[in-house]
């Protein structure tokens, strides 16, 4: 984990920051992770990437920056939208929660 979990925020219609919630009103959290594949039989692990992952539950104090963690129920989805005539796309990462690896 490269950054400790925080409450997920967005800019509201009035320009003020507001907490992101799901459709049931539960607060969402975000964590920054460096992810990479596990090494194969020859020891090659491949390149990694830094991602932001939305967490659906409060991670609490179980994890902190620098910890090796595991995502609970991880999912990834593709998104695309048009902004000012420009097409944008990417991947959105979500997980039910996060736990430290023993």
């Amino acid at each position: 984990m490269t950054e400790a979990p925080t409450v997920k925020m967005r800019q509201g219609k009035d320009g003020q920051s507001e907490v992101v919630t799901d459709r049931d009103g539960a607060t969402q959290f975000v964590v920054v992770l460096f992810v990479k594949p596990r090494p194969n039989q020859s020891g090659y692990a491949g390149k990694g990437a830094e991602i932001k992952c939305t967490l659906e539950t409060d991670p609490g104090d179980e994890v902190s920056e620098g910890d090796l963690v595991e995502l609970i129920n991880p999912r990834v989805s593709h998104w695309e939208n048009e902004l000012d005539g420009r097409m944008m796309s990417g991947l959105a990462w979500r997980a039910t929660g996060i736990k430290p690896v023993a």
Side-chain angles (χ1 to χ4, degrees):
M1 187 166 48
T2 58
E3 289 181 27
T6 59
V7 172
K8 188 171 185 175
M9 305 292 284
R10 72 169 157 235
Q11 189 174 11
K13 294 176 184 170
D14 61 358
Q16 298 293 323
S17 292
E18 59 184 37
V19 174
V20 175
T21 60
D22 66 9
R23 46 181 95 122
D24 297 324
T27 300
Q28 303 292 282
F29 297 84
V30 66
V31 63
V32 180
L33 305 167
F34 184 77
V35 296
K36 64 185 276 182
R38 292 180 188 249
N40 61 17
Q41 290 127 350
S42 63
Y44 178 73
K47 292 185 178 182
E50 190 171 74
I51 65 165
K52 284 188 178 182
C53 183
T54 298
L55 302 176
E56 298 164 342
T57 58
D58 185 350
D61 295 331
E62 285 187 44
V63 293
S64 59
E65 187 175 335
D67 287 352
L68 185 60
V69 295
E70 179 180 340
L71 294 172
I72 301 166
N73 190 27
R75 297 161 325 272
V76 63
S77 58
H78 178 263
W79 61 267
E80 35 180 73
N81 60 30
E82 188 175 339
L83 182 64
D84 298 328
R86 209 173 104 204
M87 281 304 278
M88 297 172 39
S89 65
L91 298 175
W93 298 83
R94 291 185 77 77
T96 302
I98 193 169
K99 64 181 181 178
V101 173

